[in-house]
Amino acid sequence: MGNILWVASYPKSGNTWVRAFLENYIQNQDQPIDINTMHTISTAESAAHRYRPYLPKDKTATTELTLEEISILRPQVQADIAHQANGTTFVKTHNYLGEYNSQPLHNSTVTSGAIYVVRNPLDVAISMANYFDYTIDEAIAYMAEEMTGTPNEVPHVPQIITSWSMHVSSWTADDASKLILRYEDILDDPKKAFRKVESFLGLKKDPVRLKNAIKHSSFAQLKAQENKRGFVEKHENANAFFRNGGKHQWKTKLTTEQVQKIVNTHYEQMQRFKYLPAGMKPL
């Protein structure tokens, strides 16, 4: 059994919020941790600097590698992350749980488990549109693509994301080594949701520590830090990383046609996680 515990989600579904809670809980400081240190204490498996030691002699940057070449390197890079860690290490991923080019996107030999965060796709579409400077319809189309991902950029190698439904389905199969959290449940009752995280990690119940970690990782706290100091993980197309963070934004932001299109594509997983608007079925 390995020591990587994946913090996984479809993009714009609460991954950073969960990682902020974990960092604040583990460090247990009087003040909130600096959000710009999360990438140094934990890590993202897509961080390009981790792949650079394996570049062929005729290449100088990971942007020169093909997706197939990156896929071959990925298991070794993840093994490096595990071997360099002192105990359990939390690793962010937006990859779906599967293979690309016959290579695993997550190295099971160095994995101990995963926390997966799922969010209503109706709200994900709005958040993605704002963050990546898409139109709503472009975000809806992106979420429906069966084989899509992120570009090969200087800071990050590509991630294989797939459609929202395929991503959710891949990560939420019954497995005792995974904890599944709904974003909306964290919003409604963070104490109950993050107590599940505490228990999942095998940590002794500590109400004071839990309360402080929740306070230090609140959306208001994260947003205030970004407004004051910026956030290194913010995409270049985004005005802000922490924009709204709420639920049911779709009720005032999406047209009936847009809601229906999302339901048509993602009905099964939306029904499974209780995201279907009342009375709606696929057409």
Side-chain angles (χ1 to χ4, degrees), residues 32-196:
I33 64 156
D34 182 346
I35 58 173
N36 289 310
T37 66
M38 287 199 300
H39 70 292
T40 58
I41 298 169
S42 58
T43 191
E45 73 83 34
S46 64
H49 71 87
R50 294 193 172 277
Y51 293 75
R52 290 185 192 123
Y54 299 103
L55 285 173
K57 292 182 179 179
D58 62 336
K59 300 185 188 301
T60 59
T62 54
T63 49
E64 299 175 52
L65 297 176
T66 66
L67 189 50
E68 289 71 21
E69 289 172 322
I70 289 169
S71 297
I72 293 170
L73 295 178
R74 189 166 252 127
Q76 180 58 55
V77 168
Q78 294 173 5
D80 291 345
I81 293 172
H83 295 155
Q84 292 163 10
N86 182 19
T88 298
T89 184
F90 301 99
V91 184
K92 172 185 176 180
T93 180
H94 288 315
N95 287 310
Y96 90 108
L97 187 58
E99 296 183 347
Y100 181 81
N101 196 39
S102 300
Q103 296 292 331
L105 292 169
H106 302 87
N107 186 340
S108 62
T109 65
V110 295
T111 294
S112 62
I115 297 171
Y116 185 76
V117 192
V118 59
R119 185 183 186 187
N120 191 333
L122 298 169
D123 284 327
V124 171
I126 297 166
S127 186
M128 287 193 71
N130 281 281
Y131 188 68
F132 293 113
D133 197 24
Y134 293 163
T135 65
I136 294 289
D137 288 329
E138 287 172 339
I140 292 172
Y142 181 92
M143 292 170 64
E145 292 184 31
E146 283 301 312
M147 188 51 68
T148 189
T150 58
N152 195 351
E153 301 174 314
V154 173
H156 296 283
V157 301
Q159 298 180 85
I160 309 300
I161 295 173
T162 70
S163 70
W164 181 86
S165 287
M166 185 173 177
H167 198 283
V168 171
S169 176
S170 75
W171 277 102
T172 57
D174 291 337
D175 190 330
S177 67
K178 294 197 286 288
L179 173 66
I180 314 302
L181 298 174
R182 288 198 338 152
Y183 180 89
E184 296 76 18
D185 294 338
I186 305 175
L187 280 174
D188 291 343
D189 193 342
K191 181 179 178 181
K192 181 178 180 181
F194 285 128
R195 170 62 193 132
K196 290 181 180 179

Side-chain angles (χ1 to χ4, degrees), residues 13 15 20 52 58 75 98 101 222 247 254 256:
S13 297
N15 193 300
R52 290 185 192 123
D58 62 336
N101 196 39
L222 300 176
K247 62 177 182 177
L254 299 184
T256 302

